[in-house]
Amino acid sequence: MHHLARPLFGNVPQSTVYGCPKPQSPNQRVTLNSLRQKHLACEPITMVTAYDYPSAVQVDTAGIDICIVGDSAAMVVHGYENTLPITLDEMLIHCRAVTRGATRSFLVGDLPFGSYESSSAQAVDTAVRVLKEGSMDAIKLEGAAPSRIGAARAIVEAGIAVMGHVGLTPQAISALGGFRPQGKSINSAIKVVETALALQEVGCFSVITTIGIGAGPYCSGQVLVYHDLLGMLQHSHHAKVPKFCKQYGHVGEAINKALSEYKQEVKNKVFPGISNTPYKISEGDVDGFMNELQKMGLSEAASAAAAAAYSRTWEDVNRNSY
């Protein structure tokens, strides 16, 4: 599929839309123009999903070119079995959170299942919301059927940048019979090529799978799901990592270890210690506070407060004696 990567921005006149290429510093916001420069220089484009402020900050800080708010949030954030249940309103919440965390990466918002299939008008309305309410730079839609191609065309004509998606399209799992790789036979591979060319023809600026996820090394770039590449999810529901994914960390194990240590320290009354308890009532107010508790009929609380104050004072003395 490497030969498909050349016309990354479709047939839209580049001189009128993108202007002349300009050098970009590492800290500048990634734009369609800078992505085009990388593509023309045969520099692989990096793309990772993000779904909230913390993940967006991490993706952005790492210098990832494209941050995509994927409908995969349905699975890795909301815990569904597939991507179909997530709604547009839920996607917009994720988009807004990512926007607050990413200041450099080019932001792409996924159109969720059911938000663009009915008509081109519905597709444009949804795309407009993703840009206006979600503050994305572009949208992504899955396309193979003529209606999806028509939706992509209408959105592009509305002045919105569109990323296409061909091959294994998760929103079509009911028709595909599950998460099944595409392009493994002659007919299937030709269909992938034809769909990619059709999306290019209507003006899509890029297409997954020429930015590949499981499509091999001969692509214009690569995309992975944030949780997969970090090894975040360890429970049985997500125990199986896709074969095409490389885990660059085992964050889930580190999280589990930290939570277990926290639980044990609370259980054993080790946490919080002195260093984690910086706030205290002044010694002059302790007696007054205990007297007020006595007046309220809270004698047991007064006794506990006295014991705590004495213990804290004694610990302070011991600490200051060193």
Side-chain angles (χ1 to χ4, degrees):
M1 298 298 175
H2 186 58
H3 63 284
L4 292 178
R6 183 182 60 80
L8 184 66
F9 297 95
N11 296 327
V12 180
Q14 297 168 355
S15 60
T16 58
V17 178
Y18 306 111
C20 297
K22 297 178 181 178
Q24 186 186 36
S25 71
N27 295 323
Q28 285 182 320
R29 184 96 192 192
V30 178
T31 63
L32 289 181
N33 185 50
S34 59
L35 289 172
R36 176 175 177 270
Q37 290 182 56
K38 292 197 74 167
H39 174 68
L40 293 175
C42 296
E43 297 179 26
I45 294 168
T46 56
M47 183 161 78
V48 175
T49 63
Y51 312 100
D52 54 20
Y53 176 82
S55 59
V57 169
Q58 296 291 347
V59 169
D60 200 66
T61 302
I64 301 298
D65 297 314
I66 302 175
C67 178
I68 178 167
V69 185
D71 61 356
S72 48
M75 301 177 70
V76 298
V77 177
H78 296 275
Y80 292 115
E81 294 286 346
N82 54 58
T83 65
L84 302 183
I86 197 165
T87 67
L88 176 59
D89 287 337
E90 288 172 329
M91 285 296 299
L92 289 173
I93 292 172
H94 290 296
C95 287
R96 287 192 289 268
V98 168
T99 298
R100 290 189 286 269
T103 60
R104 178 190 173 276
S105 300
F106 188 80
L107 303 180
V108 179
D110 229 341
L111 300 192
F113 179 73
S115 69
Y116 63 100
E117 296 89 344
S118 296
S119 66
S120 292
Q122 183 202 30
V124 172
D125 289 343
T126 299
V128 167
R129 288 192 66 189
V130 171
L131 262 65
K132 291 186 69 173
E133 299 177 37
S135 298
M136 295 286 101
D137 298 315
I139 65 94
K140 181 182 80 68
L141 57 76
E142 296 182 9
S147 61
R148 305 292 180 90
I149 306 299
R153 176 188 291 107
I155 296 171
V156 170
E157 290 176 351
I160 298 172
V162 177
M163 173 182 285
H165 183 165
V166 301
L168 198 171
T169 47
Q171 292 179 12
I173 58 170
S174 60
L176 295 175
F179 293 98
R180 300 184 182 279
Q182 303 298 298
K184 296 177 67 175
S185 67
I186 295 175
N187 290 338
S188 179
I190 290 298
K191 184 176 180 180
V192 170
V193 173
E194 290 175 343
T195 306
L197 291 173
L199 288 169
Q200 171 190 299
E201 188 67 24
V202 299
C204 290
F205 75 88
S206 70
V207 178
I208 296 175
T209 182
T210 56
I211 296 180
I213 179 164
Y218 304 108
C219 298
S220 300
Q222 298 292 329
V223 54
L224 284 178
V225 171
Y226 181 85
H227 294 68
D228 288 344
L229 76 89
L230 292 179
M232 285 190 67
L233 299 175
Q234 301 296 312
H235 59 85
S236 58
H237 184 68
H238 292 279
K240 186 176 181 181
V241 178
K243 293 180 180 179
F244 57 77
C245 180
K246 178 179 179 178
Q247 287 191 317
Y248 290 85
H250 299 283
V251 176
E253 293 179 3
I255 292 174
N256 290 339
K257 181 175 182 293
L259 291 172
S260 295
E261 289 180 1
Y262 162 73
K263 174 189 173 183
Q264 288 302 315
E265 288 200 358
V266 172
K267 184 178 179 180
N268 297 327
K269 299 183 179 180
V270 175
F271 176 84
I274 290 295
S275 61
N276 312 115
T277 315
Y279 316 109
K280 62 180 181 178
I281 191 170
S282 65
E283 292 183 13
D285 288 335
V286 171
D287 290 339
F289 175 58
M290 289 188 291
N291 289 335
E292 291 299 320
L293 289 177
Q294 292 281 3
K295 292 177 184 179
M296 296 170 65
L298 301 174
S299 57
E300 290 186 9
S303 299
Y310 175 78
S311 176
R312 177 64 185 269
T313 300
W314 183 251
E315 288 174 349
D316 287 345
V317 169
N318 288 337
R319 182 179 57 183
N320 293 332
S321 66
Y322 289 99

